[in-house]
Amino acid sequence: MRQVLNFLKPKTETGWLSVAMREKRVDLVHLRREPGRKPMVLMADSIEKAAGDAATLAALKKPMRLDRYRCTALLAHGQYQLIQTEAIPGAPDEAREVARWQLKDQVEFPVDTAAVDLLPIPSDGRAPQAFAALAAEATIAPLIQAFQAAKVPLAAIDLPELSQRNLAALFEEDGRGLATLIFDEDEGLLTFTLNGELLVVRHVEITARQLSTADEDRRGMLFERIALDVQRSLDNFDRIYSAVPLSHLLVAPIPGVDGFCSYLRANLTVPVVPLDLAGVVDIGAVPALLDPLRQFQSLRAIGAALREEAAA
């Protein structure tokens, strides 16, 4: 009887399924890692939302067999705060509680019921630092409840900064830092990483939509503003992490925004390299990702699905 029950038990897919809830759509990416080969994208889809998050997940559960995946939900810009702070010694649970109250004046929501997590920053000889991620209960509770109501397993919650860190790790050179710049529908995000670890985060308050819809003069002004922000961040990084040589700036192309990488290449002091996803990820099972627009739309979800941590 036990063998029969095991035989009938639904198969759990390996890897991660990232779920990015947008205002009008949901992006889903299933990715699997295997030793000795590129990470494999096995599914990447963007589906229009006809109702709320719970109803959307419930409607997709059966046709997409969502209950068979280990899921991570990707938060959007504005749904959390990421604050750099001094590292807090002690057990993880205790450190999170200390951070909760130390940072209460820096967040815009009550901290007593907020979700809090800490991400250590690799030490460079200074006092240890960490990133504290805080999200209001009003944001996290409805998200968790949506998965529970649809009976879709939720194993983790991710941030765009961590998604971008995961992507950057595929392009890093041993012993050298990497700057990565990605624009999406919410903002621009510049990260500095080393050996798969997040060192510095900078936000650029310009969206991909602003860049794609701007006329020539306005776009030129936006390009200049971005280049100044990025160069300033490069200079600050060089001062703080003088022992970490940067290999280059990795830039995700924006569909419909021609000349962006060329402009940055001509106006920055580091080499600028376009992000070529097909060079580091196997997308053979999802040829639609060869389309620059589909790749752009799925990039954050792909980064979230690249997480390597075991399920909780």
Side-chain angles (χ1 to χ4, degrees), residues 178-193:
L178 177 65
T180 304
L181 179 63
I182 297 177
F183 285 85
D184 59 22
E185 52 208 50
D186 295 323
E187 62 166 354
L189 183 61
L190 174 65
T191 57
F192 293 82
T193 56

Side-chain angles (χ1 to χ4, degrees), residues 17-176:
L17 176 73
S18 64
V19 182
M21 289 290 185
R22 303 294 187 180
E23 183 179 0
K24 296 182 179 180
R25 73 175 197 273
V26 56
D27 298 327
L28 302 106
V29 169
H30 176 215
L31 185 144
R32 185 169 67 217
R33 289 178 178 269
E34 291 182 0
R37 61 178 301 177
K38 295 178 183 177
M40 296 173 288
V41 178
L42 302 175
M43 181 262 285
D45 212 342
S46 295
I47 298 170
E48 185 178 354
K49 291 170 62 177
D53 292 353
T56 298
L57 289 170
L60 296 176
K61 176 185 173 182
K62 186 174 181 180
M64 300 190 73
R65 303 186 301 174
L66 296 185
D67 57 332
R68 298 190 177 191
Y69 291 93
R70 183 173 53 162
C71 297
T72 178
L74 180 64
L75 297 183
H77 176 64
Q79 293 185 313
Y80 64 96
Q81 288 184 241
L82 189 70
I83 301 171
Q84 186 169 341
T85 184
E86 291 186 4
I88 300 169
D93 288 346
E94 295 174 357
R96 284 191 286 267
E97 285 305 305
V98 172
R100 180 191 305 278
W101 300 108
Q102 283 187 351
L103 301 173
K104 63 183 178 63
D105 294 331
Q106 298 185 48
V107 298
E108 302 167 351
F109 45 79
V111 299
D112 54 334
T113 57
V116 180
D117 207 354
L118 295 172
L119 177 69
I121 299 174
S123 176
D124 63 342
R126 299 176 300 155
Q129 300 279 302
F131 289 111
L134 301 96
E137 182 184 32
T139 295
I140 297 298
L143 178 63
I144 294 174
Q145 290 164 6
F147 277 83
Q148 291 174 338
K151 296 183 178 179
V152 174
L154 179 62
I157 295 177
D158 265 305
L159 308 180
E161 289 87 349
L162 302 185
S163 163
Q164 190 156 313
R165 175 204 63 184
N166 298 344
L167 282 167
L170 302 179
F171 294 89
E172 288 181 352
E173 300 175 11
D174 288 343
R176 305 191 71 186

